[in-house]
Structure formats: structure tokens, C-alpha cells
Amino acid sequence: MSEPILQMNNIEKHFGNVIALAGVSFDIRPGECHCLLGDNGAGKSTFIKTMSGVHKPTSGEILFEGKPMSFDSPRDAMEAGIATVFQDLAMIPLMSVTRNFFMGREPTKGHGLFKRFDVQHANEVTMSEMKKMGINLREPDQAVGTLSGGERQTVAIARAVYFGAKVLILDEPTSALGVRQTSNVLATIAKVREQGIGVVFISHNVRHAMSVGDRFTVLNRGKTHGTAKKGEITSEELQDLMAGGQELAELEGSLGGTI
Amino acid sequence: MTEEAETAMDERIKKDPLYRRLMKRPELGAIAGMILVTVFFLATADPAMFTLSGFMNFMTPAAQLGILAIGAAMLMIGGEFDLSIGSMVAFAGLIFAALLVNFGMPLVVAIPATLIIAAAVGAVNGQIVLRTGLPSFIVTLAFLFVLRGLSLVGLKWATGGSTQLRGIRDAVENDFLTPVFSGDAFPALFAWLANIGVVETFKNGAPKVPGIPVEILWFVLLAAAATYILLKTPVGNWIFAVGGDTNAASNSGVPVRNVKIALFMFTACCAALLAIIQVLDAGSTDARRGFQKEFEAIIAAVIGGCLLTGGYGSAIGAFFGSIIFGMVVIGLTYTNIDQDWFQVFLGTMLLLAVMFNNVIRKRVTGER
Ligand SMILES: Nc1ncnc2c1ncn2[C@@H]1O[C@H](COP(=O)(O)OP(=O)(O)O)[C@@H](O)[C@H]1O
Ligand SMILES: [Mg+2]
């Protein structure tokens, strides 16, 4: 397999005396979908936030394309080609869909003092990207606050897909989606992966994870139980691992080879 | 393409009619308010109010407030308040006057220096707000007193004990920049207009309106620039974003800190610009300059559609909000109404505007 785009070694993150991450290692390669599974409070969101420049790890090493990297802000990570759909979506209800879509990376036209936000181009892109995801917007200057939860989630995903040049991180992107939109998102993940982008997919739903995942990592109470390749592990085993079930010891064997 | 678009149309999607889209504009309330106020004074005031000289009369205080209000509106859209802008007018006025009189600097040095010092104070405000995470309301309330106090102390120091610093007229008499920041613009044009009978004249032939007071030009210029920035540039998008949700904006790659600090600096510079204009106009400065103007500016911004919670509003709204102010404060002198009603009006307008804005916000976000 190819070299990892992003490699996280022994990441720890403490919030005061709360240890959210106690040494997590993870990597993502081009053209694969790496699923991160775990119960609520396991530290999944905290972990991906160290990848996307929101949190600085307390300790541990991040290698981006083989070189040590320290993202100072989400903007840094974005500029490196990492796009994230955060669990809270990072959308602003009072702003239009277009303004949200391009927030922080507005296309411009003109030069110097007259360099301005190319609203028309932005509107066109937003409409067409949303259409690709199966949502027909009434108008691109509709406020995000008027959208349903699922539509909002779709805007956030469409935005990340559009800007995710190398790595696309999705933190529970399907939680508010209906059946059709969910299969749409899963199909999008498959499509993005084919373009050679690495996808980090966080989910609660083992079925969703199994349908698109190439590798699976389970996080439990800030620790990882290791990574399994597709075919090496069954849905039931993943489910048990997520729950931190009794079969843990038994499962260690099946994971052993890939830890 | 149209055919394809039509087939793809969701049957539940209906386009908003024009009036509904207008209803969603933040400046709607201010424009409606201005029409109301105009109708009111057309009915009650001496018709002289709506002559050219009457217009300049109410536009001058409107412009002076508006210069502050546009800064306040930008900052409010960015999710912060600055209660120190009134005191900043006094403080910047003192700095400016001292540079001219005590240090004998020309305007070309004194004006940029005043703006830079004001911007630095604005940056300090912003840094404290961002670093401590305290509400800007509290931090700038502290600066309201600090700057007012510094103005008093500094004034005594600069004058050797007096509370008024004079001698500015003499200091700038022959300065080439004086006409840009004081007096009336386009005197030749107005003299010509008077000559051909468009502008009324006094008995001696001098035009009754000698030109456009420069503050009005600055006000219009500032409103236009702020509107352009808000609506047509990436920075404008960042301002709405940081005011709407700091965390979401930051996670989306908006440089939140820089945007907020720049807004504090801009607001302080607006106050300094007003100070420069007022000091040149009066020929002196004192420590009461700009007293309570922070409240009027914030009220004008709120009338202009700015939400107290940030993320929504417009500079053009603050522009009309300020004109409403000027019309009422001057308009009352053209009526038989006791001018002390002004404060009653102020409070009532604020309350109505806030309630109206809440309705608009619900309409925009589709809240139920
Ligand atoms: N900013 C923070 N400050 C303090 N504790 C936090 C913070 N963010 C997350 N945590 C804690 O870290 C743990 C992991 O949270 P999170 O990463 O959101 O879990 P998950 O996404 O897997 O549900 C939780 O116990 C949470 O309370
Ligand atoms: Mg989470």
C-alpha cells in the first residue's frame, strides 16, 4: 500500500485533568476510507480535531506526507488540503448557504483594492455541488437557518468534499440524514476515495462503516484497540469492540496482526 | 439548461416574491423608520426643514453620529461592542490637538499619528477581550472611564491646568489638508449654483448654503466603503461569520482573532476621525467631547438592523439610523414640540428597533 498522507503517532490530549486521548495512533492513506468507531465520549471528535488544527495535541507526533507537522489553526490544516465536517457542522444559521459554503475561502475576482468576493461564481458552485448531493436549493442566498438538519449536514459535507484536496474528515456525518441522503453520502465517500483522497469516516453505525470502510479503528475511553482491515473483522466483532464488551480478550487475537 | 433545471425542480420549492425578500434585508426597519420620521416632520415642522439649508442642518449632526455608528455597526456585526468610542472621541481629540498645538506638527503628520494611536488603543481593547474571554461590553466599559479620565488628566497636562485646549485654528490656518477635514466642500460649485439661482442667497449675494459640510462627505464615503466591504469582499464574509458563531468561523478557517482586532481598530479610528473633524471645526477640544455618544452610536446601529447578538446587520442601515437621529434632534427645533422629548424618542426607537430586529431574525433563519 502507498505511503500515508497523514500519520498520527501516540497522540495525547488533556483538557485540564481530563485525559481525552491517552496515546492514539492512526494513519490515513490516499484512496482509502479509514473508519473511526467508538462510543460516545470515546474521544473521536477530540482526536479528529487534532488532525484538523483545532486542538494542539498535548503530546505525540503528526506527520503530514512524511514530514513532521504542527497545525496552528484550522486554516493551516485546510491549506494543507485537509477538510473536515465537524460534528457540530460549523455552519452559521444567519448566513446564506453560499456564504457558509465558502466561509474562510471565498473565491475572488479583480485585483488590488477591487479584489472582491465573486458571489456569482460562488452561487453557481454551491447550487451545483448541492445538486450533486441530491439537494435542490430554492436559492443559494437562503439562510442556513431555514434548512432542515439533514440539509445542513449535506451542505457541510458538500463543502468539505469540494475543498478536501487530500484528506476528508467526516465526524458522524450521517446522524441527521434520512435513508436516501445517507446512501448519497456513502456513495460520495466511495467516489471521493476513488479520486485518491483519504477519507476519515467517524460513525456509530457499524453497517455504514462496513459498507464503505477499508480499515477500521475502534476508540474506547481515549485509547485505541488497534486497526483492522476489511475482511479481517465482522460487524459483530466491531460492535462488541465499540461497546467495550466482554469478548474483548477473544477479539484481541483477530486484531493482533494489524496493531 | 432551463429545461433540465425545471425538471429537477422540487415541487415544494417556491420562489420568494420580491416583497418577502425585501422583508429580509437588515436595513428595512431603518428605511421604514426614516420614511415615518420624514412624514411626521412634513406634517408638523416648519417647511424650512426641508429646504437645502434645512437638509444640511440635520445632516451635519447625522453625519457626525454616523461616522461613529458605522464603526459601531461593523463591530456589532462582528459580535462585539465598544462602549469606549465616546471617550475615544475626547481622547483622540486631545492627542490630535496636543500634536498640533504643543508639538507644532502639520496635519499630514498629526492626522495619521492620531489614527494610529486610536487604532492601537482599539487593538488593546480587542486583545484584552480575546485573551480574557470577557464580554467586550465589560472590557470597553472599563475603557470608557479610563479614556475619559486620561483625557482630563492629559488636557490639564497639555494646557497647564485648563480644561480646554485652544489655538487649533492658528495652528492649521495655512495647512493644505485643513479643507479636507473641516468647513464646507465645493464652495465654488455652490457659489455658481447660487449665481444661477439654484441655491438661495442672502441679501449680499452669498449663498445660504456655502457648500457641503465635509463630515457629510466623510459619512457617505464611510457608509459606502463599509457596505462594499461587508457585502462584496471576503473580509465582509469573515465579519458576518465571526459575529454569527466564533467557533464555527474559526473551524471553517476564518482568522477570527485578526478580524475582531481589526474591527476594534476600525471602530476606534472612526471615533478618531470624528474627533479630528470636530476639533478642527471647533478650534479647541475639551474632555467632554463625545460624551455618551457610544450609546447613540449603538442605538443608531440597532435601528439600522444590527442584532445585539452579532452576525447580522448592515452599514447602510446604520447610515439611515443616523439620519433618523439627525432629523429628530434638529427637526424638533423646527416644531413647537419641546426638544426634551428627544430622549423619550431615543429610548422608544431603541426598544421598537430591537423588537423589530428579532422578528426579522426569525424570518431570516426560519425559526418558529
Ligand atoms: N474542550 C474540552 N474541554 C474539556 N473536556 C473536553 C473538551 N472536549 C472534549 N472533552 C472531553 O473529552 C472526552 C471525549 O469527547 P469527544 O471527543 O467529543 O467524544 P466523542 O466524539 O467520541 O463522542 C469527553 O469526556 C469530553 O467531555
Ligand atoms: Mg463526537
Side-chain angles (χ1 to χ4, degrees):
Chain A
M1 224 180 193
S2 47
E3 286 300 298
I5 316 173
L6 193 61
Q7 195 168 352
M8 317 283 291
N9 293 331
N10 229 348
I11 300 294
E12 285 191 32
K13 179 69 194 176
H14 304 177
F15 295 106
N17 51 15
V18 178
I19 301 174
L21 300 172
V24 178
S25 297
F26 185 92
D27 63 44
I28 179 74
R29 303 199 167 103
E32 75 160 350
C33 174
H34 193 157
C35 294
L36 188 59
L37 299 134
D39 219 347
N40 278 329
K44 305 181 298 295
S45 298
T46 307
F47 183 64
I48 62 104
K49 281 179 181 167
T50 63
M51 286 193 205
S52 51
V54 176
H55 292 322
K56 261 199 150 62
T58 309
S59 71
E61 185 190 36
I62 304 178
L63 299 176
F64 185 75
E65 294 180 327
K67 287 186 275 293
M69 178 66 101
S70 162
F71 298 122
D72 285 327
S73 69
R75 200 177 177 81
D76 281 359
M78 282 181 159
E79 263 155 25
I82 301 173
T84 310
V85 178
F86 293 97
Q87 196 164 8
D88 64 9
L89 302 183
M91 291 269 163
I92 294 175
L94 282 163
M95 279 164 58
S96 72
V97 175
T98 299
R99 282 181 174 271
N100 267 287
F101 197 100
F102 286 95
M103 186 193 340
R105 14 184 61 202
E106 295 78 3
T108 55
K109 61 179 178 189
H111 297 284
L113 210 54
F114 294 98
K115 194 160 148 180
R116 57 203 184 276
F117 185 9
D118 190 348
V119 178
Q120 198 193 339
H121 171 70
N123 280 340
E124 284 165 13
V125 171
T126 306
M127 288 299 261
S128 77
E129 292 300 312
M130 288 304 287
K131 204 163 162 187
K132 278 189 210 163
M133 302 288 293
I135 292 206
N136 279 308
L137 286 180
R138 180 166 49 197
E139 48 194 9
D141 51 6
Q142 184 176 1
V144 159
T146 61
L147 301 179
S148 74
E151 286 171 320
R152 260 184 239 200
Q153 214 160 42
T154 312
V155 178
I157 295 166
R159 172 175 72 176
V161 167
Y162 185 75
F163 289 113
K166 287 177 181 155
V167 179
L168 175 62
I169 302 171
L170 304 153
D171 191 352
E172 305 200 21
T174 51
S175 59
L177 296 188
V179 183
R180 220 184 77 196
Q181 236 84 54
T182 301
S183 30
N184 231 320
V185 169
L186 297 178
T188 307
I189 292 176
K191 203 163 64 193
V192 166
R193 188 176 50 180
E194 269 159 37
Q195 294 163 9
I197 292 166
V199 181
V200 180
F201 179 44
I202 297 184
S203 180
H204 258 130
N205 190 316
V206 175
R207 235 160 21 87
H208 293 170
M210 284 303 251
S211 70
V212 289
D214 299 305
R215 286 193 293 159
F216 306 90
T217 296
V218 176
L219 212 57
N220 196 342
R221 297 168 67 79
K223 289 198 186 85
T224 162
H225 286 306
T227 301
K229 281 202 187 105
K230 192 182 182 110
E232 293 178 350
I233 193 163
T234 67
S235 314
E236 291 73 34
E237 287 168 329
L238 272 178
Q239 195 82 56
D240 284 339
L241 266 181
M242 273 173 69
Q246 312 90 314
E247 280 92 333
L248 212 90
E250 203 183 308
L251 282 166
E252 220 115 73
S254 68
L255 288 169
T258 52
I259 291 177
Chain B
M1 183 243 136
T2 43
E3 206 175 308
E4 190 195 6
E6 259 161 29
T7 50
M9 269 291 182
D10 191 317
E11 69 285 357
R12 291 177 309 166
I13 292 170
K14 74 176 205 296
K15 193 126 179 105
D16 271 352
L18 179 68
Y19 82 92
R20 288 213 41 173
R21 269 183 287 159
L22 284 181
M23 281 298 284
K24 289 180 178 173
R25 298 294 316 153
E27 53 272 6
L28 175 83
I31 294 175
M34 202 177 80
I35 293 171
L36 266 175
V37 170
T38 308
V39 169
F40 175 78
F41 283 111
L42 279 173
T44 59
D46 189 315
M49 179 176 170
F50 292 97
T51 61
L52 187 61
S53 68
F55 176 79
M56 297 300 182
N57 271 346
F58 70 73
M59 277 304 280
T60 304
Q64 296 206 358
L65 175 63
I67 289 170
L68 286 182
I70 286 164
M74 297 281 273
L75 187 62
M76 271 177 87
I77 296 171
E80 305 290 345
F81 285 100
D82 190 346
L83 292 181
S84 71
I85 47 176
S87 303
M88 177 55 91
V89 176
F91 182 72
L94 164 70
I95 300 278
F96 178 60
L99 290 178
L100 292 175
V101 176
N102 298 50
F103 296 93
M105 289 182 181
L107 288 179
V108 72
V109 180
I111 288 172
T114 306
L115 291 173
I116 288 168
I117 291 169
V121 176
V124 170
N125 261 328
Q127 285 287 359
I128 295 177
V129 168
L130 288 171
R131 282 185 196 280
T132 60
L134 290 169
S136 50
F137 181 84
I138 294 298
V139 173
T140 59
L141 181 64
F143 270 81
L144 180 154
F145 290 103
V146 170
L147 291 179
R148 186 68 66 188
L150 281 178
S151 307
L152 272 165
V153 174
L155 208 54
K156 281 189 221 151
W157 168 82
T159 57
S162 164
T163 52
Q164 201 179 37
L165 181 56
R166 291 167 223 246
I168 283 131
R169 288 257 160 71
D170 296 336
V172 300
E173 205 176 3
N174 298 315
D175 202 298
F176 73 100
L177 273 175
T178 306
V180 181
F181 292 93
S182 74
D184 300 305
F186 312 124
L189 174 69
F190 278 74
W192 177 74
L193 286 174
N195 236 340
I196 62 167
V198 176
V199 171
E200 280 184 272
T201 55
F202 291 110
K203 290 228 172 57
N204 67 3
K208 277 190 176 169
V209 179
I212 303 173
V214 285
E215 50 263 63
I216 297 179
L217 296 180
W218 279 106
F219 173 47
V220 172
L221 193 77
L222 211 57
T227 302
Y228 176 79
I229 289 172
L230 280 176
L231 299 181
K232 296 284 179 209
T233 68
V235 173
N237 209 32
W238 298 352
I239 294 173
F240 283 110
V242 298
D245 184 339
T246 316
N247 195 36
S250 165
N251 283 353
S252 302
V254 175
V256 172
R257 299 183 73 87
N258 292 351
V259 172
K260 290 216 173 190
I261 296 211
L263 284 173
F264 274 106
M265 292 167 76
F266 173 73
T267 309
C269 281
C270 287
L273 173 64
L274 177 62
I276 290 165
I277 290 170
Q278 285 192 341
V279 168
L280 286 178
D281 194 43
S284 70
T285 195
D286 61 69
R288 271 187 67 83
R289 203 164 278 294
F291 186 64
Q292 288 193 347
K293 286 293 171 198
E294 58 281 342
F295 294 113
E296 292 183 13
I298 289 172
I299 294 171
V302 171
I303 292 173
C306 292
L307 287 184
L308 295 162
T309 44
Y312 191 74
S314 81
I316 207 76
F319 177 84
F320 289 118
S322 306
I323 295 178
I324 291 178
F325 252 86
M327 284 180 87
V328 174
V329 87
I330 299 298
L332 288 175
T333 65
Y334 286 94
T335 66
N336 301 324
I337 305 166
D338 185 342
Q339 281 173 54
D340 289 333
W341 281 101
F342 174 66
Q343 308 244 1
V344 176
F345 159 82
L346 208 69
T348 313
M349 258 327 245
L350 174 65
L351 210 54
L352 285 177
V354 172
M355 292 193 288
F356 184 80
N357 289 349
N358 270 340
V359 175
I360 292 282
R361 192 199 58 208
K362 288 193 177 132
R363 209 176 275 279
V364 167
T365 61
E367 274 175 50
R368 280 161 281 261

